Amino acid sequence: MEVIGPALLSLMAPDVLLAVLLASMFGLFVGSVPGLTATMAVALLVPVTFFMAPLAAIAAIVSASAMAIFAGDIPGTLLRIPGTPASAAYTDAAHRLTKQGKAELVLGTCLVTSALGGLIGALVLIFGAPAIARVALNISAFEYFWFVCLGLTSAAFISPGSPLKGVISLLLGLFIATVGIFPVTGQPRFTFGRTELIGGVALVPALIGMFAVAEILRYAISTEPAAQRTTARIGNVFKGLIPALWPYKRSIGTGVIVGTGTGILPGAGADIAAWISYALARKFTREPKKFDEGSLEGIASAGAANNASVSSSYIPATVLGIPGDSMTAIVIGVLFMKGLTPGPTIFTAQPTLVYGIFLSFILANLLMLPLGYGAIKLSRYILDVRREILMPIIMLFCIVGAFAMDNTLTGVVVMLIFGVIGWFMEENGFPVAPALLGLVLGRLLEETFLTSMIIAQGNLLVFFSRPIAGTAGVITILVWLSPLAMMAWRRSRFTG
């Protein structure tokens, strides 16, 4: 730990601080625009990093990604349009509270819990990276399969209303995830002969469609007066925040743990961490009725998980050279570009640089409080724009965001199709969140299952042969059987 002092001095250099500040403001802007994801913010910064020193380049990427993940909560709260996929899990809950006049409380919760989760994730990163990475290295396809099954099971808990409709929505998402190439044979499936669909249905255009376009369609068809809009005003977002969040400290802690654990797993990411933590908060809440009507509990838990996952995803990236998510994949590329090789030797070859990168997470999440507060105060002007002016502008941003994914019109077409699907589902009481969860995890479920079956040579018992996989498998099956057990118990009480 003697390298922390020199690393801190390196981080405090004027050029590094300027890079962090500018990248933070850029990340806030990109994250707050629907369709422009945190990964896109990082990718757009890469050409600029060519002219930076290694620490300044990675610190800028760290700051932009952390800010973009938080900024996605702003349009999700005010307009029910998530700025990034990581905000989609709790967009409905946040907007319900906004319609109750609690926009400032929701945005304050998102800001503080994002910063808190990021700071705790950074501390785990600094003090536990090598040891944790060794554990993560033992996670195989068997463990991933059970983790994904457990994550999909949360679809029954993330949406109020009929559990059957939630399951149907989940199955729709899983079916859409099968579009593209079959992982084993390389045979195209459900592509209708379109080469654009060989890579599958892109998540971001589908997300924009199901939330943003569906909301625009709902407004266009609505018979309410055009001038009617949310009357919430945004004042001091920190006022009354601690008393409001204190009862949910356990859920916030759970979100931090889930986010940190999810980030460590290669290939997971902040959006999966948010879905799982929100589902856990809803499952174990002490106020289920209040949770469905609008509660800060799930928002606080998922918000903390988001940025905790961003921080901890750098553990496999730096220690093992394995990207924790798409953003750290870009970071690994930048490190190679700077002549650095991620892996265990980087701690001995460049210890000051590595810990400077880790400390940049603390700096970025501390900067998030004042800069995020400024972004929230500026966002209040959105509420003053008439809806007939605002909706076309949002539609324009949506089209740009969907087109920017691969610079083709395919993303725009996918967005429009999913917009109609999302509107139809919600008009008939089917929640869209499970469908998106199925789309996020469906491909990973299929790949881990097929990989595991090839390794096990068709023997299903091998799924329980490893300690972590066996434990996760038993827990998952118990969760699946719990509704039947509860039903049998209630029936025995009634007949007895």
Side-chain angles (χ1 to χ4, degrees):
M1 291 298 108
E2 62 273 6
V3 299
I4 289 183
L8 183 60
L9 289 176
S10 300
L11 187 62
M12 292 296 107
D15 61 321
V16 178
L17 291 177
L18 179 61
V20 167
L21 180 62
L22 295 177
S24 297
M25 293 189 289
F26 175 71
L28 285 171
F29 170 75
V30 173
S32 61
V33 176
L36 303 185
T37 65
T39 303
M40 191 177 296
V42 171
L44 291 172
L45 276 179
V46 170
V48 182
T49 63
F50 293 163
F51 310 100
M52 295 183 185
L55 180 57
I58 305 301
I61 290 175
V62 164
S63 304
S65 59
M67 296 291 179
I69 291 291
F70 153 70
D73 297 338
I74 297 176
T77 300
L78 299 180
L79 303 171
R80 196 181 168 269
I81 301 171
T84 62
S87 306
Y90 48 94
T91 292
D92 281 333
H95 192 63
R96 277 198 298 269
L97 288 171
T98 296
K99 291 193 289 187
Q100 298 172 22
K102 299 178 181 178
E104 62 184 33
L105 188 60
V106 175
L107 290 171
T109 297
C110 294
L111 175 59
V112 170
T113 55
S114 292
L116 179 64
L119 287 171
I120 295 176
L123 293 175
V124 172
L125 181 66
I126 291 170
F127 294 106
I132 294 172
R134 282 193 293 271
V135 176
L137 193 60
N138 294 321
I139 302 296
S140 69
F142 298 105
E143 286 82 9
Y144 266 115
F145 171 74
W146 289 119
F147 292 153
V148 172
C149 288
L150 198 57
L152 289 171
T153 306
S154 67
F157 309 131
I158 58 178
S159 298
S162 168
L164 177 60
K165 289 185 175 180
V167 171
I168 293 173
S169 177
L170 173 65
L171 292 175
L172 174 64
L174 290 174
F175 170 72
I176 295 169
T178 63
V179 174
I181 292 180
F182 184 56
V184 175
T185 64
Q187 187 73 19
R189 300 175 302 183
F190 310 118
T191 60
F192 304 102
R194 305 291 300 182
T195 56
E196 298 90 342
L197 294 176
I198 286 179
V201 175
L203 172 62
V204 172
L207 174 70
I208 297 171
M210 282 193 153
F211 278 100
V213 177
E215 187 72 18
I216 293 169
L217 283 175
R218 190 175 298 107
Y219 165 76
I221 297 171
S222 174
T223 56
E224 294 179 1
Q228 186 175 341
R229 61 185 185 269
T230 305
T231 57
R233 288 294 179 268
I234 301 172
N236 182 4
V237 298
F238 300 114
K239 183 178 179 181
L241 196 59
I242 294 178
L245 291 181
W246 187 252
Y248 308 131
K249 55 186 180 293
R250 186 186 67 174
S251 292
I252 295 173
T254 302
V256 171
I257 294 171
V258 169
T260 303
T262 305
I264 292 168
L265 299 175
D271 43 347
I272 295 176
W275 287 109
I276 294 175
S277 58
Y278 186 80
L280 288 174
R282 189 175 190 276
K283 173 63 176 175
F284 297 108
T285 182
R286 296 171 181 172
E287 306 167 321
K289 185 176 180 181
K290 183 180 178 182
F291 198 102
D292 291 341
E293 293 173 353
S295 171
L296 291 176
E297 185 172 3
I299 299 169
S301 179
N306 279 349
N307 272 29
S309 175
V310 172
S311 300
S312 61
S313 65
Y314 277 67
I315 292 176
T318 54
V319 179
L320 304 174
I322 300 172
D325 56 14
S326 55
M327 288 182 286
T328 49
I330 297 173
V331 168
I332 289 175
V334 172
L335 287 173
F336 277 117
M337 184 180 68
K338 298 296 183 182
L340 303 169
T341 303
T345 58
I346 198 172
F347 284 87
T348 54
Q350 296 281 348
T352 303
L353 172 64
V354 172
Y355 281 94
I357 293 171
F358 291 174
L359 289 171
S360 68
F361 276 99
I362 294 180
L363 176 61
N365 284 281
L366 289 175
L367 273 177
M368 186 183 295
L369 292 172
L371 294 180
Y373 179 75
I376 290 171
K377 295 295 287 184
L378 289 174
S379 70
R380 68 186 178 87
Y381 295 107
I382 295 175
L383 298 174
D384 294 326
V385 179
R386 294 176 63 87
R387 303 290 271 192
E388 57 266 34
I389 298 174
L390 182 63
M391 288 302 179
I393 295 174
I394 293 173
M395 188 65 188
L396 178 63
F397 275 121
C398 292
I399 293 172
V400 171
F403 181 82
M405 290 306 299
D406 54 8
N407 293 327
T408 67
L409 287 176
T410 303
V412 179
V413 174
V414 169
M415 177 195 74
L416 294 175
I417 292 173
F418 276 84
V420 175
I421 293 173
W423 172 82
F424 179 80
M425 289 174 64
E426 292 200 328
E427 288 295 306
N428 291 276
F430 289 89
V432 299
L436 285 172
L437 182 61
L439 184 57
V440 169
L441 295 180
R443 181 56 64 93
L444 186 59
L445 175 71
E446 183 180 37
E447 290 177 354
T448 53
F449 177 74
L450 293 173
T451 303
S452 300
M453 288 296 288
I454 292 171
I455 295 172
Q457 296 182 346
N459 183 6
L460 293 175
L461 292 178
V462 180
F463 281 80
F464 300 90
S465 60
R466 296 163 58 91
I468 299 177
T471 304
V474 170
I475 292 173
T476 303
I477 292 173
L478 288 176
V479 171
W480 288 346
L481 295 177
S482 61
L484 295 176
M486 289 293 295
M487 189 183 303
W489 179 69
R490 288 171 183 162
R491 184 171 296 176
S492 64
R493 282 189 61 192
F494 179 76
T495 55

